[in-house]
Amino acid sequence: MKIRTRFAPSPTGFLHIGGARTALFNWLFARKHKGSFVLRIEDTDEVRSTEDSVQAILDSLHWLGLNWDEGPKDSLLSEGPYKPYFQMQRLDIYKKFLDQLMRDGKAYRCYCSKEDLDEMRRLAALEKRPPRYDRRCRNLTDQEKKGYDSAGKKYSIRFKMPDSGTTVVDDLIRGKVSFENNLLQDFVIIKTSGVPTYNFACVIDDHLMEISHVIRGDEHLSNTPSQLRLYEALGWAPPVFAHLSMILGPDGAKLSKRHGATSVLEYKNEGFIPGALRNYLALLGWATKNSQDLFSYDELISSFDIEGCQKNPATFDNVKLTWMNGEYIRKMPVSDLVLAAQPFLDRAGIKPAPGSPSLESAISLEHQKYKKLTEIPSLVDFFYKPLEMTPQAREKSLSGPDVLRILEDLSVRLQDLPAFKEKEIEAAVRQYAQEKGFKAGQVFHPLRAAVSGRTDGPTLFLMIEVMGREEAVKRLRRCQGII
């Protein structure tokens, strides 16, 4: 079987964590089996679908590295042989199959208004039974239909579901799941606007696009029996279904905005690495037999399998994601890290001037410390901006009785130092402390505060080497004038 998976988002907002996880699993499954990953935009919600949302989805997938083999054409990728990949551009296709169902007596017009449907739900609630369409329009006479049409009454089109028996979903993750047909309803396949519903359009598209596996969230499991009956009515073999577990927040409730950022682009803006988010999303409802946490790009593809997907809900843990992001940052070459951090450096107004340290040398000082890209500007900005003394540095490190003399002496020692390298700088400062009878901290703390304006930061003497002799001595002398 040629493996073909698809991700079919509705462009009614940003791409959120749940959707991104679904896209990832489809992408991984296709890549693992040398198949095709299709992106299809299900934009049949005429009210809420927007072009901005479409672009946000495309941008999010590109950032995550989930490039599609077929789908909407954009600046990076072309379409494919089953275009168009927007459902609102496929209305003529759906009409052909609608006409077939109507001719075969497998669908019918429903003239019930919103008020009629509300009343059905009210009565169902009073009688303590599941809300279900009562099929009152299923067997209308031709005369009744003509009367409604003459009165200009709008209609939707419903699909005829079986009255009895069961519909069984054979799910790769959940096994066989049975649904009693008498609890299902004749669902709408064409709205009164003439636009197809999700359940109808996705069946047509999945068949025509030759989708082999439908991997999606478990909220769609209840739609599957209706879709299976449509496949049967149209004489088509259905794809293989796999429904992924729900994603919960740390409090056990369904993941939502109250748990923090939920859209992919928010995580991008918060300084997460795409590879780290991709790695973490893969662990939401999937695991290897040895419970491996960190994967390279190729390892994730080769390791992924549906058998590792779990039925139980997954918990989104922002603490673990942040830890994982730090692990990814530490493995990045410094040159790549600078490129990744550049938007955040630009936003903070950090731009090396002639004679100042390179971004590579400054950022490398605390490479092992960063957890998010957003942390980098505030940890290196003292190299590139006018020095600002923190209250703690001023009060804790620069208030001693000998501080002024120490800074004066160190500015001379560093100015005269033959080789301005970390080891030589450290040796000179330690020798000075020993000569003058100071403890190391009495000298180190004022020195750090004077050159960086802070009480903590990178390794002191390597930081001074990176800063350079001229700038370090200038800062020492400037500090003497403010204490």
Side-chain angles (χ1 to χ4, degrees):
M1 180 192 298
K2 172 67 173 175
I3 300 298
R4 289 176 58 81
T5 65
R6 52 80 161 170
F7 176 54
S10 177
T12 57
F14 293 103
L15 179 62
H16 292 97
I17 288 299
R21 192 267 306 260
T22 297
L24 173 64
F25 280 34
N26 279 278
W27 181 86
L28 286 171
F29 190 76
R31 294 290 174 266
K32 169 74 176 284
H33 296 284
K34 312 298 183 187
S36 297
F37 173 59
V38 178
L39 175 64
R40 185 174 70 230
I41 304 298
E42 299 194 336
D43 55 349
T44 55
D45 186 333
E46 311 102 301
V47 176
R48 297 192 301 150
S49 295
T50 67
E51 290 185 11
D52 286 346
S53 294
V54 171
Q55 192 58 52
I57 290 168
L58 303 185
D59 291 344
S60 298
L61 292 174
H62 280 315
W63 180 73
L64 277 173
L66 306 183
N67 291 341
W68 51 96
D69 302 297
E70 300 170 22
K73 181 179 180 179
D74 69 358
S75 59
L76 297 176
L77 298 169
S78 59
E79 288 184 296
Y82 299 93
K83 63 183 182 182
Y85 292 89
F86 289 82
Q87 288 187 329
M88 289 299 285
Q89 297 173 19
R90 298 172 61 83
L91 298 183
D92 289 344
I93 297 173
Y94 306 133
K95 186 177 186 308
K96 171 186 172 183
F97 296 103
L98 171 66
D99 291 345
Q100 177 183 329
L101 292 173
M102 294 293 285
R103 281 196 311 269
D104 294 345
K106 296 175 179 178
Y108 61 93
R109 292 182 179 185
C110 173
Y111 294 90
C112 293
S113 65
K114 180 181 180 301
E115 292 72 25
D116 294 330
L117 299 175
D118 288 342
E119 179 63 13
M120 289 180 212
R121 281 189 283 269
R122 189 186 70 81
L123 290 174
L126 287 174
E127 296 169 10
K128 297 183 179 179
R129 53 181 173 82
R132 179 184 174 209
Y133 178 64
D134 64 10
R135 298 177 170 174
R136 66 180 61 177
C137 293
R138 184 165 175 161
N139 297 305
L140 291 176
T141 65
D142 290 340
Q143 187 175 354
E144 287 173 321
K145 293 175 189 175
K146 286 179 182 178
Y148 286 135
D149 291 338
S150 298
K153 196 161 187 181
K154 291 183 177 181
Y155 61 86
S156 61
I157 296 179
R158 291 181 180 269
F159 177 75
K160 290 182 178 179
M161 287 289 286
D163 295 319
S164 59
T166 60
T167 300
V168 178
V169 178
D170 195 357
D171 190 276
L172 282 181
I173 297 172
R174 299 168 188 280
K176 293 186 184 297
V177 184
S178 294
F179 294 83
E180 296 294 327
N181 289 333
N182 61 5
L183 297 178
L184 303 175
Q185 65 176 341
D186 291 354
F187 59 98
V188 173
I189 57 175
I190 299 292
K191 295 177 277 188
T192 56
S193 63
V195 174
T197 60
Y198 161 76
N199 276 322
F200 183 56
C202 79
V203 166
I204 307 299
D205 290 341
D206 285 344
H207 174 74
L208 296 181
M209 293 180 182
E210 299 185 17
I211 300 302
S212 65
H213 291 73
V214 172
I215 304 169
R216 57 190 181 185
D218 68 350
E219 68 272 16
H220 289 293
L221 181 59
S222 61
N223 292 319
T224 310
S226 301
Q227 293 171 12
L228 285 174
R229 290 299 178 179
L230 263 176
Y231 279 104
E232 180 183 58
L234 292 165
W236 298 336
V240 178
F241 289 96
H243 288 90
L244 306 173
S245 62
M246 185 183 296
I247 302 176
L248 306 179
D251 59 356
K254 187 174 181 180
L255 188 67
S256 66
K257 285 191 174 183
R258 66 190 179 87
H259 296 113
T262 58
S263 87
V264 168
L265 293 180
E266 283 181 278
Y267 283 95
K268 176 185 178 182
N269 293 334
E270 287 186 7
F272 286 89
I273 302 294
L277 184 56
R278 192 170 58 234
N279 189 154
Y280 184 70
L281 289 175
L283 301 177
L284 293 177
W286 172 77
T288 58
K289 291 180 180 178
N290 63 353
S291 299
Q292 182 176 344
D293 270 336
L294 297 171
F295 297 83
S296 69
Y297 180 92
D298 291 331
E299 279 180 329
L300 194 55
I301 292 172
S302 62
S303 300
F304 184 79
D305 55 36
I306 292 293
E307 290 75 19
C309 293
Q310 300 146 8
K311 299 178 186 178
N312 294 330
T315 300
F316 189 89
D317 183 353
N318 203 60
V319 173
K320 184 171 182 178
L321 170 59
T322 302
W323 163 81
M324 188 172 288
N325 201 62
E327 293 293 310
Y328 268 74
I329 286 176
R330 282 185 276 282
K331 291 179 181 178
M332 293 177 73
V334 176
S335 57
D336 291 348
L337 181 57
V338 172
L339 286 174
Q342 194 64 58
F344 304 97
L345 295 166
D346 291 343
R347 197 177 303 161
I350 296 174
K351 187 176 182 181
S356 61
S358 68
L359 288 170
E360 284 84 354
S361 59
I363 288 174
S364 67
L365 289 173
E366 296 194 88
H367 194 165
Q368 301 303 307
K369 185 175 180 179
Y370 311 126
K371 292 182 179 178
K372 295 194 286 187
L373 297 175
T374 46
E375 298 169 349
I376 293 177
S378 64
L379 293 175
V380 302
D381 62 355
F382 66 89
F383 283 110
Y384 306 105
K385 292 186 173 184
L387 194 64
E388 293 183 7
M389 200 71 61
T390 67
Q392 190 178 17
R394 187 184 297 274
E395 296 164 9
K396 186 176 179 181
S397 302
L398 298 174
S399 59
D402 298 308
V403 167
L404 184 59
R405 178 163 65 97
I406 290 170
L407 297 182
E408 289 173 347
D409 293 344
L410 288 179
S411 63
V412 174
R413 296 264 176 139
L414 295 184
Q415 182 67 61
D416 297 339
L417 197 61
F420 204 74
K421 296 293 182 182
E422 178 186 8
K423 289 183 179 179
E424 287 77 5
I425 297 169
E426 181 177 0
V429 174
R430 288 188 182 277
Q431 182 180 354
Y432 168 76
Q434 186 176 8
E435 289 175 4
K436 302 300 182 181
F438 293 123
K439 293 180 180 179
Q442 288 179 274
V443 178
F444 292 2
H445 296 324
L447 174 59
R448 178 182 291 279
V451 298
S452 72
R454 305 171 185 191
T455 57
D456 57 10
T459 302
L460 175 60
F461 303 108
L462 182 57
M463 176 183 73
I464 293 174
E465 176 193 331
V466 168
M467 184 173 291
R469 185 198 309 270
E470 182 180 347
E471 183 64 22
V473 171
K474 183 193 299 183
R475 292 186 180 199
L476 282 169
R477 289 174 176 163
R478 187 181 300 143
C479 188
Q480 294 168 34
I482 63 173
I483 62 174

